[in-house]
Amino acid sequence: MPKKISKVLSALSLLFLSTACCPLLQSKNNYGVCVNRGWGSQKEVDSPTVLTTNDSTPSTASVDSREGIIYSWQTDRFTWGQRSLFRDIHNESKNIGIGHYVKGSYTEARTSFLSAISAESNNPELLIFYNNSKSREGGNVPFTLAAVVPVDNEIGNAEEMLRGIAQAQDEFNKIGGIDGRLLEVVIANDGNNLDRDKASKPVAEQLSRDPSILGVIGHNFSDATEAALPTYDDANIAVISPTSTSTSLNNEVFFRTAYKDSLAGEQLAEYAQEHLGISSVVIFYNSQSKYSNSMRQAFEKRFSQLGGIVMLKDKRESGFNAVSELRDSALEDMDAALLLAGQDTNINISKANSDLPPEKQLKLLGGDSLYGRRKLEAGQESLNGMVLSVAWFYDAPCCIDFASKAAERWNGATINWRSATSYDATRAFIKVLSQNVTREEIIEKLKTIELPEDETSGQGLRFDDYGERVGEPVLIKTVLSNKVQGLKVGYELVSVD
């Protein structure tokens, strides 16, 4: 069946499901979606919908409404100002701002969120709420993008991504947007969870039913993005992922501002053999992870082509034990270990390696998933000297200006490649916005976009015919340091020559 016909049938199916049975006090709008007539920005129904929270414990929650579009699936996963997804820190001004936002008092909400920011200047959610309120003052209708981040299981990644998105939104809104029309961001929490009954695909389905959303920034993990892509494809929504790097991701609506794993894997393989003199590598990986598999395959293929020896250790194999597997690898005189097995396993391996006699310790290699404050803190001294391939580095000459502005904006909070590539993804969408632009037009415009260095986090941005960012990742190394700089975790990150 031709793809266009398939998309039409899919859309008709979605239309039927959304309109066949509207709840009491609702009727269908022009998009065929059940809406509450006469509601404001967010209301409660008389009988709250019973939802399932992240831990499968039943709870009740209100049904949210945006422009008359009902958000009825696990509403606590979505926000545009009516709730916080980051609940650990109490901030009274934030709570007051949320109350104003729910009532549609956007000027008062903006003022309260600004006060909240003064208490939490490195909180990206607050800056997004502030700008969302600003975008709706005076009855204005903003441009709307969605950001899908993993608040549940990777809160650090979620914060880092949102910092880049919030910074780009803030810059756009400060200059008045386009003819006074500003940008709004809907935040969705998928927890990097692929299970259909949990998050990634249902989040995509909910966002796709909201016709105000012109594009999606996300998801975080490659597996989560892959689970959601068919839904976005059916709805003709462009997706720009700042962090999903698996080579298997490919779709006409898919773009990314990070570099695909094949580039990172090949780069690491060449550096390991040609500059470090490594002739044998053990790869610790997770055969059930898209990211891990694509990095492993790229490294293994290129390293073998260069005459190197590769040993594979799959954490999913029965009886796998990280410590004993590392020791066995050292006994077999392997030169280095490529860590692709997931955070906890990677850290266990690195610590086991540091416990070996110095002459037996393996050199450590890794991908962008190991670049993060919490990950480096968890590894402590055991990650010293590790070489990583990443999409962006704050000390690269082209990136210093953005890194400096971002550090000032976020009061010293973590600014790494996830923040930078999320900023670039948002700037790419902003570049193709225009009055009355459609989802389909955005997809076509992204294919030919060209952003110079001064409109990105430092590297110019354009996509090839497959939606891949043109360019190459950078190599960095972790070095133990007493300096309070960079990620402020006892490591200084330095560029590799």
Side-chain angles (χ1 to χ4, degrees):
M1 180 183 297
K3 189 167 186 179
K4 286 187 177 180
I5 296 177
S6 176
K7 282 191 175 184
V8 170
L9 291 176
S10 177
L12 289 173
S13 175
L14 181 61
L15 181 64
F16 172 78
L17 289 173
S18 63
T19 60
C21 185
C22 288
L24 184 65
L25 301 181
Q26 297 180 22
S27 59
K28 61 185 179 180
N29 65 3
N30 291 334
Y31 300 101
V33 180
C34 293
V35 301
N36 283 349
R37 298 305 181 185
W39 283 5
S41 60
Q42 192 263 354
K43 299 285 185 179
E44 292 187 355
V45 292
D46 292 334
S47 300
T49 305
V50 177
L51 304 174
T52 303
T53 58
N54 304 337
D55 61 1
S56 300
T57 303
S59 66
T60 60
S62 62
V63 172
D64 289 350
S65 173
R66 279 179 41 78
E67 300 295 312
I69 305 302
I70 296 299
Y71 276 61
S72 59
W73 180 83
Q74 294 198 13
T75 55
D76 58 350
R77 289 187 179 273
F78 303 88
T79 187
W80 42 92
Q82 80 282 20
R83 67 172 58 83
S84 174
L85 301 185
F86 299 83
R87 303 181 180 91
D88 291 342
I89 301 176
H90 177 74
N91 185 318
E92 186 60 30
S93 294
K94 175 180 71 174
N95 295 337
I96 293 172
I98 288 172
H100 286 309
Y101 192 95
V102 169
K103 296 174 183 177
S105 302
Y106 299 120
T107 299
E108 291 82 357
R110 176 175 58 82
T111 301
S112 295
F113 288 135
L114 186 61
S115 296
I117 290 170
S118 66
E120 291 182 70
S121 58
N122 62 1
N123 185 328
E125 185 188 53
L126 288 177
L127 186 58
I128 289 173
F129 287 176
Y130 167 83
N131 275 293
N132 285 357
S133 302
K134 183 178 179 180
S135 74
R136 289 194 169 272
E137 286 186 84
N140 290 325
V141 178
F143 298 105
T144 304
L145 299 174
V148 185
V149 295
V151 178
D152 289 347
N153 302 315
E154 289 282 350
I155 191 169
N157 289 3
E159 290 171 338
E160 290 161 8
M161 292 171 69
L162 288 177
R163 286 191 184 109
I165 295 165
Q167 185 168 339
Q169 179 196 23
D170 189 54
E171 291 172 356
F172 178 73
N173 287 358
K174 276 182 177 176
I175 63 171
I178 297 175
D179 297 329
R181 188 176 179 189
L182 306 185
L183 177 63
E184 173 186 61
V185 175
V186 172
I187 308 172
N189 166 31
D190 76 335
N192 275 330
N193 201 316
L194 335 175
D195 191 322
R196 176 180 168 79
D197 295 330
K198 296 209 175 161
S200 294
K201 189 171 182 178
V203 161
E205 290 170 344
Q206 181 69 85
L207 295 175
S208 296
R209 293 184 182 122
D210 183 344
S212 72
I213 292 176
L214 296 171
V216 174
I217 302 161
H219 299 212
N220 177 210
F221 282 5
S222 295
D223 302 76
T225 301
E226 183 175 69
L229 264 182
T231 300
Y232 296 131
D233 185 28
D234 288 342
N236 285 315
I237 300 180
V239 181
I240 305 180
S241 177
T243 58
S244 298
T245 56
S246 171
T247 308
S248 67
L249 295 173
N250 193 310
N251 192 289
E252 67 181 75
V253 304
F254 176 71
F255 305 82
R256 58 178 145 207
T257 48
Y259 296 106
K260 61 183 177 180
D261 291 330
S262 58
L263 295 178
E266 291 169 4
Q267 183 186 56
L268 274 174
E270 291 170 0
Y271 183 80
Q273 187 171 88
E274 296 171 2
H275 295 272
L276 297 180
I278 290 171
S279 60
S280 59
V281 175
V282 55
I283 303 178
F284 293 93
Y285 74 106
N286 177 0
S287 59
Q288 295 183 17
S289 162
K290 296 290 182 185
Y291 161 75
S292 184
N293 275 323
S294 60
M295 273 288 286
R296 172 189 62 80
Q297 291 165 0
F299 182 95
E300 181 182 9
K301 180 179 179 180
R302 184 58 181 147
F303 195 70
S304 298
Q305 288 173 345
L306 295 172
I309 298 171
V310 174
M311 178 186 296
L312 301 178
K313 299 287 185 180
D314 181 5
K315 69 173 287 185
R316 294 294 179 177
E317 286 186 359
S318 177
F320 177 89
N321 180 282
V323 174
S324 61
E325 296 288 358
L326 185 281
R327 289 173 179 166
D328 290 345
S329 300
L331 289 174
E332 296 186 40
D333 293 325
M334 304 303 288
D335 296 327
L338 175 57
L339 306 183
L340 305 172
Q343 180 176 344
D344 292 342
T345 304
N346 289 339
I347 297 305
N348 289 338
I349 292 168
S350 69
K351 288 182 176 180
N353 186 55
S354 67
D355 289 337
L356 295 173
E359 67 275 9
K360 283 292 185 180
Q361 290 179 13
L362 281 63
K363 293 182 174 68
L364 299 181
L365 309 170
D368 50 32
S369 66
L370 275 166
Y371 181 0
R373 178 176 61 82
R374 287 177 173 84
K375 298 173 179 66
L376 294 177
E377 284 177 342
Q380 300 174 1
E381 293 86 356
S382 70
L383 294 176
N384 185 38
M386 177 176 59
V387 176
L388 302 175
S389 177
V390 298
W392 178 93
F393 180 50
Y394 59 79
D395 208 26
C398 65
C399 304
I400 290 175
D401 285 347
F402 172 80
S404 177
K405 288 192 301 183
E408 182 179 357
R409 163 64 265 178
W410 300 111
N411 195 27
T414 301
I415 303 297
N416 64 21
W417 71 273
R418 295 180 190 88
S419 302
T421 54
S422 297
Y423 177 87
D424 291 347
T426 313
R427 289 301 301 256
F429 272 124
I430 287 171
K431 188 72 172 180
V432 299
L433 292 177
S434 62
Q435 300 292 356
N436 303 316
V437 71
T438 66
R439 290 174 172 179
E440 292 80 5
E441 289 170 345
I442 283 176
I443 293 170
E444 292 306 311
K445 288 181 177 181
L446 286 173
K447 293 177 181 178
T448 58
I449 193 174
E450 289 197 29
L451 289 178
E453 291 183 357
D454 61 356
E455 294 184 28
T456 68
S457 62
Q459 302 176 51
L461 175 63
R462 65 185 178 90
F463 301 110
D464 67 15
D465 293 341
Y466 302 98
E468 303 290 352
R469 184 173 194 158
V470 176
E472 62 179 20
V474 295
L475 291 172
I476 61 173
K477 182 169 66 173
T478 60
V479 179
L480 281 176
S481 173
N482 293 325
K483 298 178 182 178
V484 182
Q485 67 175 62
L487 298 181
K488 300 182 180 179
V489 294
Y491 283 103
E492 183 179 356
L493 298 177
V494 298
S495 296
V496 170
D497 295 330

